[in-house]
Amino acid sequence: MLVARNRPGRGGATPRDPERTRGRLLRAASQEIHRSGFRSADLDAILDKAGVTKGALYYHFDNKEALGYAVVDEVIASNLHQKWVQPLRHAKNPIDVLIRIIQSESLKREDVQRGCPLLNLSQEMSGLDEGFRRRTAKVYKDWHDAMAEALREGQKRRVVRSDINASETATFLIAAWEGYVVLGKNSQDPRMMQSGQRRVSGQIESLRPARGRTRAPRRD
């Protein structure tokens, strides 16, 4: 567990627009953590990017750990919800939606090199800090549950094979995709992610009943 640092007292002036200031801090922190990792994230770099003072930081967050927790709860979780959970809710055909999400992943070299923010933090911090472990686990669970529920609904509509276990399939798809993200980050080669898009899309395509199956689109 990381040691929490004491926060200076709140004797300073309240920021003129507290919510806006807090939002800037979270955005700057999420970018710095994604670039450098949590332990190497530089608070001065975050403050400079956010354009706020150290007093403003400690007005909103007790310490660096509290700021990191908020990044998981409010930035990473929100981004994943928008990208994966929301599109899967009430999806008429989850197969089409899942393939579309996978195919929309950025293949820009800088994005491949940075990897997945959720995966990065989970790998870095889960063994060191229970607060990070619980938070990243919750985001993964929300991702898994949304996918599993969408597959179950697809089975009811007969657009997803009835012989699969929706929960196990959701776990496999997340593990397969995140595995390609790790390999892409390690190789720093967008072609690895292209391969991942093809292979994972092919696995998702195989979840259709035989009569509705098509070839997954290639992205060269």
Side-chain angles (χ1 to χ4, degrees):
M1 178 70 73
L2 295 178
V3 178
R5 289 178 286 278
N6 292 331
R7 175 176 58 175
R10 293 193 174 190
T14 301
R16 292 182 180 179
D17 190 342
E19 288 307 308
R20 185 180 178 187
T21 298
R22 190 175 188 278
R24 291 207 305 268
L25 280 166
L26 285 174
R27 287 190 295 273
S30 68
Q31 293 167 9
E32 173 68 8
I33 291 170
H34 193 191
R35 184 182 69 84
S36 304
F38 176 76
R39 285 173 294 176
S40 297
D42 188 334
L43 283 180
D44 288 333
I46 292 171
L47 294 175
D48 184 62
K49 190 173 188 63
V52 303
T53 64
K54 188 168 288 188
L57 169 66
Y58 288 115
Y59 176 82
H60 290 285
F61 303 102
D62 287 339
N63 45 53
K64 184 180 178 183
E65 286 72 33
L67 176 61
Y69 293 164
V71 166
V72 179
D73 293 339
E74 301 179 42
V75 180
I76 293 176
S78 176
N79 290 342
L80 187 135
H81 188 274
Q82 291 177 21
K83 182 175 182 178
W84 290 89
V85 176
Q86 209 165 348
L88 285 169
R89 284 184 175 170
H90 313 300
K92 291 183 178 180
N93 193 323
I95 305 297
D96 294 338
V97 173
L98 287 170
I99 291 176
R100 186 164 61 247
I101 294 171
I102 292 292
Q103 293 295 324
S104 71
E105 281 285 340
S106 172
L107 295 179
K108 293 180 180 178
R109 185 172 296 275
E110 59 268 28
D111 293 332
V112 173
Q113 290 172 344
R114 283 196 299 260
C116 168
L118 173 61
L119 179 61
N120 291 349
L121 260 179
S122 179
Q123 288 183 312
E124 179 190 4
M125 300 304 299
S126 290
L128 301 175
D129 184 273
E130 180 64 12
F132 276 108
R133 190 202 66 77
R134 285 188 290 102
R135 284 169 170 82
T136 55
K138 181 181 184 304
V139 180
Y140 272 120
K141 184 178 186 303
D142 290 345
W143 185 3
H144 167 274
D145 290 352
M147 194 182 295
E149 181 59 26
L151 291 173
R152 291 189 195 98
E153 289 299 316
Q155 289 175 318
K156 292 177 184 178
R157 297 189 182 98
R158 299 184 179 180
V159 295
V160 174
R161 282 167 40 196
S162 60
D163 63 324
I164 67 161
N165 181 298
S167 180
E168 291 180 358
T169 300
T171 298
F172 170 78
L173 291 175
I174 292 171
W177 179 246
E178 291 285 72
Y180 271 109
V181 172
V182 169
L183 293 175
K185 179 179 179 180
N186 181 261
S187 67
Q188 300 190 9
D189 188 348
R191 290 175 298 181
M192 180 63 71
M193 294 304 297
Q194 285 182 315
S195 175
Q197 286 179 324
R198 290 195 298 270
R199 296 301 181 183
V200 176
S201 293
Q203 287 295 317
I204 296 170
E205 184 66 41
S206 73
L207 302 178
R208 297 186 197 272
R211 66 180 183 278
R213 202 170 300 166
T214 60
R215 292 179 66 88
R218 293 196 62 172
R219 182 174 175 180
D220 297 320

